[in-house]
Amino acid sequence: MGITGLIFLSSGLFLGWSLGANDAANIFGTAVSTRMVRFKIAAIVCSIFITLGAVISGVGAAHTLGSLGTVSAIAGAFTTAFAAAFTVYSMIKCGLPVSVSQAVVGAIIGWNWFTDSVTDVNSVVKIASTWVACPLLSALFSAIIYLSLNKLLRSAKIHLLKRDYYTRIAMIVTGAFGAYSLGANNMANVVGVFVPVAPFFDLDINGIHISAVQQLFFIGSIATAVGVFTYSHKVMGTVGKGLMPLSPFAAWVVVVAQSFVLFIFASEGLEYFLASHDLPTIPLVPVSSTQAVVGAVIGVGLCKGAAKTIKWSVVGRIICGWVITPVIAAAICFFALFFMQNVFNQNVYTQKTYFLSTPVYNRIIDHQKNISPKQLGILKGNKYKSGTEFVNAIQSRVGKLSSSVQQDILNSAELINVLIDGNKFDLIDAQLFTDDQISQLKELMGRQFNYHWELQDALISINSEWNFKETSILNKQHNKNIMVLLTEIERVFTVRKK
């Protein structure tokens, strides 16, 4: 990676620093503020387990926010990450714990706005709904845990000194788990926008394969660790003491409840288990550890009958921060992209072209039964320079389309230039593919594809396993794996314009 790559990646490191400075408070803030754990020990444990979570389990969440928008140029990724990081930093300066996820979502929407890309409204609603559900669920969990364990401890009659010792150990262990979960679930928010344009190459060291994304996540986790050590103490005070006084036991309950909420919103294994037993599932979306811990503190306070001790003015300030964070991040991203493009002459996005050719027209008519061939036929043969322009042209003929229909039409008409070149097979991340899949791909050698679906249809004609299965939780992992493989194929074999 050259000096230019490092410069562009610096905003991701800034965002990683902001995550450490802000979200470490969610894990160890209550423990440090109650003086059950020293700040230095908390910072060391937090840093180590954030790094482990990011490298070991974080790669799977790299495309968490991909449905909102894919940043297609490294200068655009730099600007998007900077907008989110600057927003979080500004809130931290005010001593307010804010959501890094909210800042990243806002910045990506700002990028979509500037590039005239269509934002998937369904994804926005799905993510935003968890911003309400997360603190409420966390408050419920903390209340249940507090009542259950408090009753158990009273009946056990453990000596006060032993109880104090056990609480300290429990806080460190639970904090380590919380830090691991934070790295696994939130590192994608830190460097996820750089994944499509990661300035790294896969490495093999003594037989150990290290992907470009893993390298990216490791560097992001190091920046996060620096944030933990250098600036998290101030926000720890707000979470730990600013909302209400907490006993050591109550502080531990807060961390347990917060970690559990992060787990249920991020565990594919739990989702699969619930679905396989015909139980309701919880959507897997990025949630805010900040919102979870604030909800848990309030839940404990209400459970103890100490509502009057909760500083509701501080709660109000925090909620205001949550509301304005995505708005501020979107605005900053939009104007920063303008300056990067027009003042610094940087390419902040790769323009996408949408072509309503005859094959695309036939595909849309076949998939969307509510669209009249006559209404759409007049647009056949037209090219469009942005997703918004293309969708608006179709809606002017057929009426308002749902967000899911818009995304399907965009995916059908987006032009690509993929040539299966035999000289590029060594560039494929072989860890993702089976030997049979590589062999099937080689059968397409020399063929060129203009649309995403053309490539997939060609592979399906060789083996039906390349097809997406009927949408369901049980088929979700298969469909996700196929999408990862197709994305990797396009990454390697796309013919770039010189």
Side-chain angles (χ1 to χ4, degrees), residues 474-491:
L474 300 181
N475 292 331
K476 183 177 180 180
Q477 189 58 50
H478 168 83
N479 294 342
K480 180 180 178 181
N481 290 339
I482 294 299
M483 182 58 69
V484 169
L485 296 180
L486 293 172
T487 301
E488 175 66 6
I489 293 171
E490 291 183 15
R491 182 189 71 83

Side-chain angles (χ1 to χ4, degrees), residues 34-56:
T34 54
R35 299 185 179 181
M36 294 297 290
V37 179
R38 292 169 54 194
F39 172 74
K40 185 176 181 179
I41 294 176
I44 291 173
V45 173
C46 187
S47 300
I48 291 173
F49 281 89
I50 282 177
T51 303
L52 291 174
V55 176
I56 296 173

Side-chain angles (χ1 to χ4, degrees), residues 82-308:
F82 175 81
F86 184 78
T87 302
V88 174
Y89 173 74
S90 299
M91 295 296 182
I92 292 174
K93 288 289 288 183
C94 299
L96 292 179
V98 296
S99 168
V100 173
S101 297
Q102 287 180 324
V104 172
V105 167
I108 291 176
I109 292 175
W111 187 86
N112 286 345
W113 181 22
F114 181 83
T115 60
D116 209 20
S117 301
V118 177
T119 300
D120 187 350
V121 177
N122 288 338
S123 296
V124 174
V125 172
K126 189 176 183 180
I127 293 173
S129 65
T130 66
W131 296 346
V132 177
C134 178
L136 295 177
L137 199 58
S138 187
L140 176 63
F141 286 164
S142 67
I144 293 173
I145 295 170
Y146 181 84
L147 288 174
S148 302
L149 294 184
N150 193 43
K151 184 177 180 179
L152 181 63
L153 288 173
R154 285 180 179 177
S155 61
K157 297 181 180 180
I158 300 174
H159 189 278
L160 186 60
L161 291 179
K162 282 190 175 181
R163 178 172 172 173
D164 182 78
Y165 172 77
Y166 293 150
T167 302
R168 291 175 190 270
I169 298 300
M171 281 183 166
I172 294 175
V173 173
T174 306
F177 171 69
Y180 184 92
S181 299
L182 179 66
N185 295 317
N186 279 265
M187 199 52 61
N189 293 326
V190 171
V191 292
V193 293
F194 290 93
V195 169
V197 289
F200 298 96
F201 300 96
D202 292 0
L203 297 176
D204 284 291
I205 302 175
N206 296 326
I208 300 175
H209 181 79
I210 305 175
S211 70
V213 177
Q214 285 178 310
Q215 297 171 53
L216 188 65
F217 275 47
F218 175 74
I219 291 177
S221 66
I222 295 300
T224 303
V226 173
V228 172
F229 273 96
T230 59
Y231 213 83
S232 65
H233 203 280
K234 182 177 182 180
V235 183
M236 282 188 185
T238 300
V239 172
K241 297 183 294 186
L243 292 178
M244 64 170 287
L246 290 173
S247 66
F249 172 69
W252 176 78
V253 169
V254 165
V255 177
V256 173
Q258 177 258 162
S259 300
F260 188 56
V261 168
L262 287 180
F263 172 77
I264 65 171
F265 275 106
S267 174
E268 290 185 331
L270 176 62
E271 181 189 44
Y272 183 87
F273 173 82
L274 294 174
S276 62
H277 290 79
D278 297 322
L279 296 172
T281 60
I282 296 176
L284 300 185
V285 293
V287 295
S288 168
S289 59
T290 301
Q291 293 174 330
V293 78
V294 170
V297 171
I298 294 175
V300 168
L302 295 176
C303 182
K304 293 171 63 177
K308 292 183 179 179

Side-chain angles (χ1 to χ4, degrees), residues 54-81:
V55 176
I56 296 173
S57 303
V59 176
H63 304 283
T64 314
L65 301 176
S67 59
L68 290 181
T70 303
V71 182
S72 55
I74 193 167
F78 164 84
T79 309
T80 303

Side-chain angles (χ1 to χ4, degrees), residues 278-497:
D278 297 322
L279 296 172
T281 60
I282 296 176
L284 300 185
V285 293
V287 295
S288 168
S289 59
T290 301
Q291 293 174 330
V293 78
V294 170
V297 171
I298 294 175
V300 168
L302 295 176
C303 182
K304 293 171 63 177
K308 292 183 179 179
T309 65
I310 298 175
K311 298 179 181 179
W312 294 105
S313 60
V314 176
V315 175
R317 287 175 57 213
I318 292 174
I319 292 176
C320 286
W322 293 346
V323 172
I324 66 175
T325 291
V327 177
I328 293 175
I332 291 176
C333 186
F334 180 88
F335 289 108
L337 286 167
F338 177 84
F339 276 97
M340 284 291 289
Q341 178 175 271
N342 297 286
V343 177
F344 298 104
N345 296 318
Q346 294 294 320
N347 179 29
V348 296
Y349 70 99
T350 300
Q351 183 172 300
K352 294 181 179 181
T353 301
Y354 299 87
F355 180 34
L356 191 59
S357 61
T358 299
V360 172
Y361 167 83
N362 293 334
R363 180 179 175 83
I364 292 176
I365 294 301
D366 182 55
H367 283 205
Q368 308 299 334
K369 303 301 182 182
N370 293 329
I371 295 180
S372 166
K374 183 177 180 180
Q375 291 175 313
L376 192 62
I378 196 171
L379 302 177
K380 189 161 60 173
N382 292 348
K383 285 187 177 181
Y384 302 90
K385 295 182 178 180
S386 74
T388 300
E389 182 185 3
F390 178 51
V391 169
N392 287 342
I394 292 182
Q395 290 189 141
S396 68
R397 303 298 305 173
V398 305
K400 184 67 175 177
L401 300 173
S402 67
S403 181
S404 58
V405 172
Q406 290 181 23
Q407 294 302 315
D408 183 70
I409 289 174
L410 288 169
N411 291 333
S412 296
E414 182 185 346
L415 277 175
I416 61 174
N417 187 8
V418 172
L419 173 63
I420 309 302
D421 186 346
N423 297 321
K424 292 184 176 181
F425 273 86
D426 290 341
L427 301 177
I428 290 179
D429 185 352
Q431 302 293 318
L432 298 176
F433 295 80
T434 65
D435 291 339
D436 287 342
Q437 289 169 336
I438 293 293
S439 298
Q440 292 157 13
L441 182 59
K442 286 183 177 179
E443 293 187 37
L444 302 181
M445 199 178 301
R447 292 184 59 179
Q448 189 166 3
F449 302 95
N450 296 318
Y451 300 100
H452 300 289
W453 54 270
E454 282 185 339
L455 170 62
Q456 185 177 16
D457 284 352
L459 289 166
I460 292 172
S461 67
I462 300 173
N463 189 325
S464 61
E465 281 299 308
W466 287 93
N467 202 357
F468 293 128
K469 295 183 179 180
E470 182 182 354
T471 302
S472 72
I473 297 298
L474 300 181
N475 292 331
K476 183 177 180 180
Q477 189 58 50
H478 168 83
N479 294 342
K480 180 180 178 181
N481 290 339
I482 294 299
M483 182 58 69
V484 169
L485 296 180
L486 293 172
T487 301
E488 175 66 6
I489 293 171
E490 291 183 15
R491 182 189 71 83
V492 172
F493 294 104
T494 293
V495 179
R496 313 290 178 184
K497 292 182 179 180

